[in-house]
């Protein structure tokens, strides 16, 4: 198991090096920044380089399909380690995600405790408010079902 972990880390380090080279050659291409974020998130490395990648991805393409999940996933897990600028970048991507993928983004925000950051966008749109309520109701039903299973 230890050897597999070392091999995985080595593979991630190699991938990270290639993604960095690609991002340096074409800095405004958000998917390269997302790849750096995903690789660092996979090895739980929330350093300055990851924060810079989050900021660059949020500036160059918060609407890209692979940028939103990468930034939000790393942003949620690494939140305590992020500086204010990186946190704001995560919030900005969350705002974009709420508009583009409302159910997934609202659910993620509820699960991660970031819902307060999403609410300003949600509250401005009746459809988003409706989706927010549906997601909350669904979560409540699932929790009640789980409680019933535990009671048996």
């Amino acid at each position: 198991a230890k050897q597999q972990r070392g091999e995985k880390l080595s593979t991630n380090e190699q991938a990270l090096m290639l993604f960095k080279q690609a991002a340096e050659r074409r800095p405004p291409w958000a998917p390269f920044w997302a790849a750096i974020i995903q690789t660092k998130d996979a090895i739980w490395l929330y350093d300055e380089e990851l924060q810079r990648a989050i900021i660059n991805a949020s500036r160059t393409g918060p609407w890209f399909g692979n940028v939103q999940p990468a930034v939000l996933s790393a942003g949620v897990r690494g939140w305590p380690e992020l500086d204010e600028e990186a946190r704001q970048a995560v919030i900005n991507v969350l705002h974009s995600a709420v508009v583009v993928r409302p159910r997934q983004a609202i659910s993620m925000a509820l699960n991660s405790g970031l819902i307060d950051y999403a609410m300003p966008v949600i509250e401005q749109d009746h459809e988003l408010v409706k989706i927010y309520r549906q997601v909350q109701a669904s979560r409540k039903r699932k929790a009640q079902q789980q409680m019933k299973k535990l009671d048996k």
Side-chain angles (χ1 to χ4, degrees), residues 5-20 35-36 38-44:
R5 188 174 189 275
E7 288 173 9
K8 183 177 180 183
L9 185 60
S10 177
T11 302
N12 281 332
E13 288 171 347
Q14 290 173 354
L16 186 58
M17 182 184 69
L18 293 172
F19 293 138
K20 285 182 201 177
I36 291 170
Q38 290 168 325
T39 305
K40 287 194 165 265
D41 189 30
I43 57 176
W44 294 74

Side-chain angles (χ1 to χ4, degrees), residues 59-113:
R59 286 183 183 152
T60 60
W63 55 87
F64 274 95
N66 67 332
V67 168
Q68 290 176 351
V71 168
L72 294 175
S73 175
V76 166
R77 282 198 283 262
W79 190 262
E81 307 297 322
L82 301 182
D83 63 22
E84 191 56 39
E85 187 178 10
R87 285 182 178 186
Q88 188 57 54
V90 172
I91 293 167
N92 292 344
V93 170
L94 176 61
H95 289 174
S96 295
V98 165
V99 173
V100 177
R101 295 180 176 91
R103 287 191 193 288
Q104 296 93 329
I106 291 169
S107 182
M108 186 281 313
L110 284 165
N111 291 337
S112 67

